[in-house]
Amino acid sequence: MIDKRFDSPAEVVADICDGATIMIGGFGEAGSPIELIHALIDLGAKNLTVVNNNTGSGHVGLAALIENRQVSKMICSFPRTANSTVFPDLYQVGEIELELVPQGTLAERIRAGGAGVPAFYTATSVGTELAEGKEIRNFEGRDYVLEYGLKSDFALIKCEQADRYGNLIYNKTARNFSPIMAMAAETTIAQAGACVEAGELDPEVIITPGLFVNRIVTVADPARESRLVAEGRRYP
Amino acid sequence: MSTQSNSLEKQVGWNREEMAKRAALDIHDGAYVNLGIGIPEKVVQYVPEGREVIYHTENGLLGMGEAPAPGEEDSELINAGKKMVTAIPGAAYFHHADSFAMIRGGHIDICVLGAMQVAENGDLANWSTGAKDAIPAVGGAMDLVAGVKTIYIITQHCTKAGEPKLVESCSYPLTGQKVVKRIYTDLAVIDISTDGFKLIELAPGIDFDTVRDQTGARLIDGRT
C-alpha cells in the first residue's frame, strides 16, 4: 500500500543532512512552506545550498534559516526584498555565497533538471555580465547562452490539498516554483493544508502527479510570513 | 526644470500619470501585456475604453485584475512586485516554467518597463548600477526583454542629478542588447530606429531643442 502521509514536520525533514541542496518553493511569502523550514531549523542541518526565488524576509522562514547560519549558498533571482536584511548583511561581509540567475532561467533550469534535460540554450542574459564565461551558440541568426539543468537532494513545498498518493493541487499564485521543484528533487516533501483519500481529488485538476512527491504532512493552518514579520517574530 | 503640469500655468512636459497615459494609447485591443514595477504599473488605469487587454504577471497569473478591496486581500494572490492583486473572471494560474515559456517563447505582446539607461541602439540597463557593495538582483527583467515581442520604456528623460538617461552606450550593466522599441519620457516619445533615437512626439510646452539638449546621443526629428 502506498501512503506518503506523515504525522509531523519534524519527521519529514529528519534525514536532511549537512551539505544538502534544497529547493524551497514560494515567491516571497506566497507558497513558502514555513512550517517545514522551521522544522529544518530545529533539525540544524548545516552548509546547505538553497534554491529559492528570494532570500526570505524578517526573521522567520527562509530568512531565519539563513540567519541561523545553516545556508552556505543561495541560488536565486532576487535576493533583495522589502524587510529582507538577513541575507544582504551576510552577503556584504562575505559570509554567504550567491549564484544570481535570471528568474525564467532559474525556472527552466529546475524544469530541465526534473525532466532529464542536462542543459539548454536560452536568449536570456546574452550580452550581459550574467552570461560571461558561458558557452554562446547561434541558432537561426540569434545568439543563445548555455544553461545547465538544476537538481536537488530535497524539495520543500507547500500546497493546498494532497491525497495519500502525493497528488497535489495549489492555491492561486502560491503555486509558482513548487510543481517544477517537485520534479527536480530526489526527495520531495510537501506540507498540505489538507490531506484527503485517493480519489477525492479530481484527476483533471491535479497539478503535481503523485510520483513527484515522496512525503506529505498536513499543516491545516499554516503561519503567514507577512503577519509574523509585522509582529516582529523570530524563529527559533 | 519643472515638468509638473499646473492648471494655473501653461503645461510643460508630462508628469508620471501622463507618461503612463501616453504609453497606454499604444496598447492595442487584445494585447497580452506584462507591466514592470513603478510607473509602468499605472498604465492599467489609462488603457482607452473599448480595448480588452490581458495582464500577465510572471509569478503565475494571466488575467491580473485591480488591487483588492479592503478585507478581500489574499496573501497567496500577488503580483511580481509581491503586492496583493485580484484575478479577473477568465484568469488562469500556472507554474513558473510555464509563465516564462510565455515570456521566452514570444507569446506576450508588450512589456512596459522602467530604465536606468537606454542606448541609441536599443540596449537597456535597468537592473544594476554595478556598484561593488550593492546586492545584485535581476528578477525576471532579462527574460522579459529577451522574450517579449515589444519592449516599451517609461522613464524620466534625465536622472535626478540631471544626467541624460538616453545615451550613446550604457555605462551600467546591460539587461539586454537591442531590445527597446519606444521610450516615453516626461519630455517626448522617442523611437529606437536604425538611425538611433528618433523623436516622434513632444510633450506639451516642450520644443525639439530642449529634448535634444537633454539627450546624451544624436536625436533625429521624426515628426511628420
Side-chain angles (χ1 to χ4, degrees):
Chain A
M1 171 165 164
I2 296 172
D3 191 351
K4 298 178 180 177
R5 293 172 293 190
F6 287 75
D7 291 329
S8 70
E11 244 182 299
V12 289
V13 303
D15 60 344
I16 297 179
C17 53
D18 290 0
T21 295
I22 306 177
M23 293 177 175
I24 300 181
F27 181 87
E29 72 170 322
S32 180
I34 197 162
E35 281 74 15
L36 293 180
I37 299 169
H38 287 171
L40 182 56
I41 292 173
D42 294 343
L43 180 73
K46 287 191 164 34
N47 195 24
L48 304 172
T49 295
V50 171
V51 183
N52 180 271
N53 189 60
N54 306 103
T55 59
S57 63
H59 303 277
V60 295
L62 177 55
L65 183 71
I66 296 168
E67 192 165 34
N68 205 36
R69 310 305 292 269
Q70 292 176 249
V71 181
S72 55
K73 180 180 179 181
M74 283 299 309
I75 301 177
C76 67
S77 86
F78 207 87
R80 288 189 263 114
T81 312
N83 299 317
S84 160
T85 56
V86 168
F87 176 86
D89 289 350
L90 285 173
Y91 180 77
Q92 278 175 332
V93 294
E95 302 264 315
I96 190 164
E97 197 184 334
L98 170 66
E99 181 177 342
L100 188 72
V101 185
Q103 197 172 136
T105 297
L106 181 63
E108 192 62 16
R109 287 182 63 191
I110 296 167
R111 196 202 68 82
V117 175
F120 58 93
Y121 289 93
T122 175
T124 300
S125 89
V126 166
T128 76
E129 62 185 50
L130 296 189
E132 281 171 17
K134 295 177 179 174
E135 180 187 323
I136 301 287
R137 188 164 159 187
N138 191 285
F139 296 92
E140 296 173 347
R142 187 174 186 189
D143 282 345
Y144 295 81
V145 59
L146 181 70
E147 294 282 358
Y148 293 93
L150 203 50
K151 292 195 268 196
S152 70
D153 300 306
F154 294 91
L156 306 183
I157 62 174
K158 179 187 178 186
C159 66
E160 186 75 359
Q161 280 191 298
D163 67 19
R164 73 173 167 89
Y165 285 148
N167 294 309
L168 309 181
I169 61 173
Y170 301 88
N171 184 43
K172 306 187 182 80
T173 57
R175 183 183 308 183
N176 56 70
F177 286 90
S178 296
I180 50 176
M181 288 178 168
M183 297 166 65
E186 184 68 31
T187 301
T188 293
I189 303 166
Q191 69 169 69
C195 199
V196 300
E197 284 305 317
E200 287 188 42
L201 298 179
D202 179 354
E204 291 284 7
V205 305
I206 288 168
I207 302 298
T208 296
L211 91 169
F212 293 125
V213 179
N214 302 89
R215 301 170 193 166
I216 299 152
V217 61
T218 302
V219 179
D221 188 18
R224 271 182 53 188
E225 186 178 291
S226 57
R227 195 168 287 164
L228 298 180
V229 171
E231 291 168 358
R233 299 271 287 276
R234 287 176 174 268
Y235 197 90
Chain B
M1 68 180 258
S2 168
T3 57
Q4 293 298 306
S5 59
N6 185 321
S7 58
L8 297 175
E9 297 168 17
K10 189 164 180 279
Q11 183 176 348
V12 178
W14 282 314
N15 63 26
R16 290 160 59 94
E17 300 294 328
E18 291 160 341
M19 288 155 67
K21 194 170 182 177
R22 176 60 191 83
L25 292 179
D26 293 337
I27 308 287
H28 61 269
D29 185 34
Y32 289 91
V33 177
N34 183 296
L35 300 175
I37 296 163
I39 308 180
E41 287 177 277
K42 295 176 178 288
V43 168
V44 173
Q45 303 162 39
Y46 298 112
V47 171
E49 286 283 318
R51 297 185 198 175
E52 190 166 33
V53 173
I54 303 288
Y55 295 97
H56 170 267
T57 180
E58 57 265 35
N59 56 310
L61 168 61
L62 198 57
M64 178 173 60
E66 294 171 359
E72 303 285 308
E73 300 92 346
D74 182 342
S75 63
E76 298 202 325
L77 179 46
I78 60 173
N79 67 11
K82 304 192 174 71
K83 285 188 194 138
M84 288 188 265
V85 295
T86 55
I88 64 166
Y93 299 112
F94 33 84
H95 63 61
H96 249 81
D98 279 354
S99 187
F100 279 87
M102 293 177 190
I103 292 168
R104 200 187 308 99
H107 308 287
I108 305 290
D109 298 305
I110 297 168
C111 180
V112 187
L113 294 169
M116 294 174 181
Q117 291 176 325
V118 181
E120 61 185 352
N121 67 349
D123 285 359
L124 172 66
N126 75 347
W127 73 283
S128 165
T129 60
K132 277 207 163 61
D133 58 342
I135 311 293
V138 65
M142 288 187 183
D143 308 280
L144 285 161
V145 300
V148 174
K149 287 179 218 159
T150 300
I151 303 294
Y152 291 147
I153 298 296
I154 301 181
T155 180
Q156 300 295 328
H157 207 87
C158 294
T159 66
K160 284 182 184 137
E163 297 292 322
K165 296 177 89 168
L166 279 59
V167 295
E168 287 182 353
S169 69
C170 297
S171 57
Y172 291 142
L174 291 188
T175 308
Q177 290 178 315
K178 300 180 183 174
V179 293
V180 176
K181 182 170 184 197
R182 178 169 287 184
I183 309 158
Y184 306 87
T185 79
D186 49 331
L187 305 181
V189 180
I190 294 171
D191 275 352
I192 301 294
S193 72
T194 49
D195 301 318
F197 293 123
K198 184 179 188 178
L199 184 141
I200 60 163
E201 191 177 328
L202 286 165
I206 301 293
D207 59 28
F208 181 81
D209 288 352
T210 301
V211 182
R212 189 188 54 204
D213 291 349
Q214 297 192 39
T215 301
R218 194 165 75 102
L219 181 68
I220 301 161
D221 192 346
R223 287 173 296 168
T224 49

